[in-house]
């Protein structure tokens, strides 16, 4: 019955929290690989946790991906209350489609909540010279300094190979990712099973080291196919991280 299912999930949350050494784990029922609307439930659960944590002035740095897009869909006007909240992309372009890009997701979050957002336009496929001069532009520098002041980060987690394919990764980087046995990916960092970084997409914005100074880190990822990826990425996560996942992924991580 329902009650037994609920307590089963609570118990799983506790076990996963211990196993991954995190501050909090939230599990929504179902498996988003099999049932698409479970991703919306991940979005809803994330929105709820964000609301609980937001007070006063906030800068929220957001990564890309379809799961983050689902979070954006669940944010509403009353959600941010009377906080002063700004959405910024966590990092520059990392080869995603426009709809999966952090810039688009921030715009959607701002629109849905009545808050402001900033964009970070850094080209992906340019020479080092162009890139270096680009990031010296005052407008880019200003957004980068806002990103560094973020008190909350929201990010998805992907399977390393799925993400490398989705981003049309250059062959030489593809080789590094494969030879390094990357299994998980988050905000452009590729991790092996031990949680070590084997490759990073060269771009600007938040660095992995910055995460330890950020009060609220919410990682949102579900689907049993992401079990390995979640486990790997959570190895390098700070213990202030909250993982929002689904039953499909949780069961597989714990088995
Ligand atoms: C990327 C993010 O855009 O999306 C990553 O930068 C994340 O943090 C990935 O791993 C996940 O995508 P999705 O579509 O599976 O949520």
């Amino acid at each position: 019955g329902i009650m037994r299912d609920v307590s089963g999930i609570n118990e799983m949350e506790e076990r996963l929290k211990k196993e991954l050494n995190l501050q909090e784990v939230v599990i929504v029922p179902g498996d988003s690989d099999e049932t698409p609307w479970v991703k919306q439930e991940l979005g809803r659960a994330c929105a709820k946790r964000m609301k609980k944590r937001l007070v006063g002035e906030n800068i929220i740095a957001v990564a890309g991906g379809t799961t983050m897009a689902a979070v954006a869909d669940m944010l509403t006007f009353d959600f941010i209350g009377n906080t002063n909240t700004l959405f910024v992309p966590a990092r520059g372009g990392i080869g995603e489609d426009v709809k999966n890009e952090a810039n688009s997701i921030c715009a959607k979050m701002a629109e849905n909540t009545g808050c402001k957002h900033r964009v970070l336009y850094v080209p992906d496929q340019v020479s080092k010279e162009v890139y270096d001069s680009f990031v010296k532009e005052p407008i880019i520098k200003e957004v980068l300094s806002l990103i560094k002041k973020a008190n909350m980060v929201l990010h998805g987690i992907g399977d390393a190979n799925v993400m490398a394919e989705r981003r049309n990764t250059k062959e030489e980087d593809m080789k590094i990712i494969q030879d390094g046995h990357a299994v998980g990916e988050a905000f452009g960092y590729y991790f092996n099973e031990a949680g070590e970084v084997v490759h990073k997409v060269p771009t600007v914005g938040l660095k992995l080291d910055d995460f330890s100074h950020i009060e609220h880190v919410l990682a949102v990822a579900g689907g049993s196919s992401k079990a390995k990826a979640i486990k790997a990425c959570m190895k390098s996560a700070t213990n202030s991280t909250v993982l929002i996942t689904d039953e499909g992924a949780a069961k597989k991580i714990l088995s």
Side-chain angles (χ1 to χ4, degrees):
I2 273 269
M3 286 314 285
R4 199 179 55 219
D5 290 341
V6 167
S7 67
I9 283 198
N10 289 345
E11 194 205 305
M12 233 195 299
E13 287 174 342
E14 281 308 307
R15 281 173 60 204
L16 202 53
K17 187 173 110 173
K18 277 210 195 104
E19 162 101 15
L20 302 175
N21 190 24
L22 299 173
Q23 191 195 99
E24 190 185 351
V25 171
V26 178
I27 300 174
V28 302
D31 184 335
S32 45
D33 284 345
E34 277 152 34
T35 327
W37 54 256
V38 175
K39 202 176 264 185
Q40 293 172 294
E41 291 309 311
L42 288 171
R44 197 189 308 277
C46 178
K48 204 168 137 191
R49 266 65 192 190
M50 285 167 70
K51 186 171 183 168
K52 270 212 297 209
R53 286 159 182 263
L54 292 176
V55 280
E57 303 260 319
N58 305 283
I59 297 180
I60 308 183
V62 187
T66 57
T67 313
M68 281 300 117
V71 175
D73 286 339
M74 291 302 164
L75 299 183
T76 52
F77 229 81
D78 61 299
F79 156 86
I80 301 283
N82 50 14
T83 67
N84 187 3
T85 297
L86 175 73
F87 292 96
V88 292
R91 305 193 78 201
I94 44 179
E96 290 278 29
D97 275 2
V98 171
K99 66 174 186 329
N100 286 333
E101 229 186 46
N103 278 324
S104 321
I105 292 168
C106 283
K108 185 87 188 277
M109 288 183 167
E111 187 189 320
N112 287 353
T113 55
C115 292
K116 293 206 162 62
H117 73 102
R118 299 297 299 268
V119 291
L120 181 61
Y121 283 129
V122 281
D124 273 325
Q125 315 281 354
V126 293
S127 66
K128 182 143 189 332
E129 293 73 43
V130 173
Y131 187 86
D132 287 348
S133 69
F134 210 88
V135 295
K136 287 194 192 110
E137 285 295 318
I139 181 82
I140 305 282
K141 280 172 76 179
E142 192 207 329
V143 178
L144 288 175
S145 79
L146 288 168
I147 293 173
K148 296 283 177 186
K149 287 189 212 138
N151 64 326
M152 179 180 276
V153 183
L154 309 175
H155 71 86
I157 295 169
D159 173 85
N161 289 320
V162 170
M163 290 311 297
E165 293 282 339
R166 189 165 103 186
R167 288 177 174 147
N168 298 314
T169 307
K170 288 189 290 192
E171 208 154 313
E172 51 184 293
D173 291 339
M174 215 47 161
K175 195 169 175 339
I176 296 172
I177 292 166
Q178 280 158 3
D179 292 352
H181 305 287
V183 291
E185 182 281 342
F187 40 87
Y189 285 75
Y190 288 82
F191 300 90
N192 65 15
E193 241 168 326
E196 295 154 350
V197 176
V198 301
H199 174 64
K200 21 185 159 165
V201 178
T203 186
V204 288
L206 277 191
K207 305 250 176 312
L208 193 56
D209 295 339
D210 298 327
F211 277 59
S212 55
H213 311 296
I214 297 172
E215 202 182 340
H216 311 287
V217 181
L218 277 68
V220 195
S224 50
S225 64
K226 284 189 183 178
K228 264 195 181 163
I230 294 170
K231 207 172 165 186
C233 293
M234 288 300 102
K235 286 217 167 121
S236 71
T238 58
N239 50 18
S240 66
T241 302
V242 178
L243 171 68
I244 298 160
T245 189
D246 63 20
E247 220 182 332
K251 276 197 178 135
K252 191 131 181 234
I253 296 170
L254 290 167
S255 72

